[in-house]
Amino acid sequence: MPYWLYLVIGGIFINNFVLSRFLGICPFLGVSRKTETALGMGLAVIFVMGMTSIITFGLNLLLKELNIQYLQTIVFILVIAALIQLIEIVIKRFAPSLYTALGVYLPLITTNCAVLGVAIMNVTELATQNIFTSFVNGISSGIGFTLALLIMAGIREKLEYSEIPEKFKGFPITLITASIMAMAFTAFAGLSF
Amino acid sequence: MDFSKEILYPVIILTGIAIFFSILIAIFSKRFAIKKDLQVETVLGLLAGANCGACGYAGCEAFAKALVKGEAKLSMCNATNKECKKKIGALLGTDASDEETVVVCACIGGIMCEDKYEYQGYGDCASVELLSGGRKSCPTGCIGMSTCVSSCPVHAIDIIKGVAVVNQSKCIHCGICVLNCPKSLMKRIPKKAMYFIACSCHESGKNVRINCKVGCIGCGICAKVCPEGAITMVDNLPVFDYDKCIGCGVCADKCPSKCIKELVLPQKNDE
């Protein structure tokens, strides 16, 4: 099996960003009230993760060359924030419908730790590091994030209609649901090919 | 310590990236700037900005666009105050001579009004209304199950003693409750009104009294005592002519049911 396929399955299921790495929890809880908004957020995350994976890979080569890799966190944050601003301007101009669909979620991702996480893991965890594997890892991590968000939104929509004890309504039951989902996803950890 | 490698490179790299991206963003925002309609921007600035959606558009921005295009009428927005409406009207060349209104609940029954049946189970006023026209024995009695409360975007309505009461200091007069009340008890009255009839029941006096201790019995005393003749009786309910009303309060004093209420508006500092 080619290495990139491992990355795809790993990114979506085994190392799911939300449910096994516990990154990006705030949008996971905040934007999972409706499936449509969850999908919008998810698409924005996939897009941004793919873009940052490519850019930060190039930047990391530069940092490695100068032997100042300890700067990677601050450089990556800077680049991600700037990149999202640029993407926002371009999308606003050329694809207004996409802009309204992504809406507020695009600027929200500026400070999303999952995006920074994927940029850093690209340069620390991948066995073969090239621009293609980085990109694949970024995209599949984004898909994993979207999957978790969509499942959560689906469950929360159903929860609206179920009888929950008064004290557990709202965030408590959401956190319990999230923990059960995370436990379910740990089953993928034993997956082997 | 190698000065150039340890300190110079990181500083150069970091500032270099920052300057590079700031120039890039500056160029992009100039190059790809969207020509915003100045008229829409100005109108949007003058609108209340409550984004309540009572006009039927998705927020104030969409409403401002529709206003400029001429698709929407200014009177569809009730949250914007009179001065701003005048300015918008002057800007767009449309008439904005709408009278300012406030929203009140025209029922004071609540626990003073008999229940027809005891309602148990899921729902709000709308679902209770489906069950033989509400739980109150009065056909126009406030059901008091919070449809207006939950629809209000600014939490200005409370259910007090079984009946909806509008908190005028919070109310933005958007009119969502007017649309949502299944009994149509939320009514608009002019802002200059000082008294209003807090009952909507057109039944005869005897029937009203059987159901409700505080409902209007249509006795017509208010119409008789009014020194300005501002009250006329129509279908067993007084109707106010607010152009004539001087706010003396005799009607509220003499009303046997005490269902004529004073409209208490918050005193604004700038007025």
Side-chain angles (χ1 to χ4, degrees):
Chain A
M1 210 164 92
Y3 183 62
W4 63 268
L5 208 57
Y6 281 110
L7 285 178
V8 170
I9 293 167
I12 298 175
F13 296 110
I14 303 166
N15 294 324
N16 189 295
F17 251 82
V18 180
L19 296 171
S20 59
R21 289 195 205 266
F22 308 117
L23 287 171
I25 298 289
C26 22
F28 176 63
L29 293 178
V31 206
S32 60
R33 224 164 281 235
K34 282 184 191 159
T35 25
E36 293 113 68
T37 52
L39 192 63
M41 180 76 181
L43 288 177
V45 168
I46 294 175
F47 184 63
V48 171
M49 275 186 174
M51 295 292 283
T52 42
S53 295
I54 296 172
I55 302 282
T56 52
F57 180 78
L59 266 173
N60 191 57
L61 287 184
L62 181 71
L63 295 182
K64 224 183 219 170
E65 194 63 37
L66 298 169
N67 208 16
I68 44 172
Q69 274 164 304
Y70 62 89
L71 274 182
Q72 68 183 16
T73 308
I74 190 164
V75 168
F76 286 177
I77 289 176
L78 188 67
V79 170
I80 291 166
L83 190 69
I84 291 169
Q85 288 298 317
L86 290 179
I87 291 170
E88 200 185 344
I89 294 169
V90 174
I91 288 182
K92 210 174 181 178
R93 178 72 158 74
F94 292 109
S97 52
L98 182 65
Y99 178 74
T100 43
L102 296 180
V104 289
Y105 305 118
L106 211 50
L108 271 182
I109 300 167
T110 317
T111 50
N112 190 339
C113 55
V115 178
L116 180 66
V118 82
I120 289 179
M121 280 163 197
N122 273 341
V123 297
T124 53
E125 289 195 357
L126 296 195
T128 44
Q129 291 179 9
N130 57 43
I131 198 148
F132 177 67
T133 52
S134 291
F135 179 67
V136 168
N137 191 37
I139 292 287
S140 52
S141 298
I143 295 172
F145 181 86
T146 312
L147 180 74
L149 212 62
L150 276 178
I151 296 175
M152 191 62 178
I155 295 175
R156 279 181 85 173
E157 277 184 355
K158 294 273 179 216
L159 278 178
E160 290 279 306
Y161 300 108
S162 46
E163 279 189 31
I164 302 157
E166 192 62 42
K167 307 274 183 214
F168 284 103
K169 272 183 184 166
F171 271 110
I173 195 74
T174 311
L175 287 171
I176 293 170
T177 316
S179 71
I180 296 171
M181 276 171 68
M183 277 197 277
F185 264 70
T186 51
F188 287 117
L191 208 61
S192 63
F193 304 99
Chain B
M1 196 174 92
D2 192 345
F3 176 77
S4 68
K5 272 201 176 151
E6 296 288 320
I7 297 171
L8 209 58
Y9 281 177
V11 171
I12 289 173
I13 288 286
L14 216 52
T15 33
I17 291 171
I19 291 171
F20 173 72
F21 273 107
S22 51
I23 291 171
L24 211 59
I25 287 176
I27 293 171
F28 267 51
S29 54
K30 278 265 186 265
R31 177 77 181 74
F32 298 120
I34 302 163
K35 279 176 201 131
K36 280 199 173 173
D37 196 334
L38 199 66
Q39 216 174 7
V40 173
E41 293 285 296
T42 328
V43 170
L44 183 62
L46 286 166
L47 286 176
N51 285 323
C52 60
C55 53
Y57 290 91
C60 290
E61 193 172 347
F63 182 59
K65 275 182 193 161
L67 272 178
V68 172
K69 276 185 193 166
E71 289 167 0
K73 277 184 185 164
L74 203 49
S75 57
M76 289 156 85
C77 178
N78 299 300
T80 306
N81 68 30
K82 210 173 179 178
E83 279 89 67
C84 291
K85 275 191 178 179
K86 264 187 194 161
K87 280 182 199 161
I88 297 171
L91 189 74
L92 302 177
T94 48
D95 190 31
S97 62
D98 297 309
E99 195 169 27
E100 254 189 299
T101 54
V102 294
V103 178
V104 294
C105 177
C107 178
I108 48 166
I111 53 170
M112 307 296 272
C113 184
E114 297 288 326
D115 277 4
K116 212 168 5 181
Y117 56 84
E118 193 181 339
Y119 183 82
Q120 287 179 330
Y122 172 82
D124 56 5
C125 304
S127 42
V128 180
E129 169 72 11
L130 292 174
L131 256 174
S132 72
R135 63 174 182 180
K136 292 291 176 193
S137 40
C138 171
T140 57
C142 175
I143 298 165
M145 288 186 69
S146 303
T147 293
C148 49
V149 176
S150 51
S151 71
C152 183
V154 294
H155 310 293
I157 307 175
D158 299 303
I159 302 291
I160 299 171
K161 290 181 183 170
V163 65
V165 176
V166 181
N167 182 346
Q168 298 293 350
S169 59
K170 283 188 192 166
C171 180
I172 56 167
H173 324 301
C174 66
I176 289 177
C177 52
V178 178
L179 298 174
N180 280 347
C181 179
K183 291 285 190 196
S184 305
L185 288 174
M186 290 300 179
K187 299 232 164 96
R188 284 192 174 282
I189 57 171
K191 198 175 182 182
K192 64 181 179 188
M194 279 169 273
Y195 289 88
F196 66 97
I197 171 71
C199 179
S200 305
C201 188
H202 293 289
E203 299 266 327
S204 69
K206 181 169 167 265
N207 288 344
V208 170
R209 217 15 117 238
I210 293 170
N211 297 332
C212 179
K213 294 189 188 78
V214 289
C216 174
I217 52 173
C219 61
I221 289 177
C222 46
K224 277 175 210 148
V225 297
C226 181
E228 300 294 317
I231 303 174
T232 44
M233 295 301 291
V234 179
D235 279 349
N236 289 324
L237 276 181
V239 175
F240 284 76
D241 182 348
Y242 289 112
D243 288 329
K244 287 184 187 166
C245 177
I246 54 167
C248 62
V250 176
C251 48
D253 262 357
K254 300 284 180 194
C255 177
S257 303
K258 299 289 170 219
C259 60
I260 293 179
K261 290 282 168 197
E262 192 178 354
L263 178 64
V264 185
L265 290 177
Q267 290 296 315
K268 281 183 188 165
N269 296 330
D270 53 5
E271 280 179 8

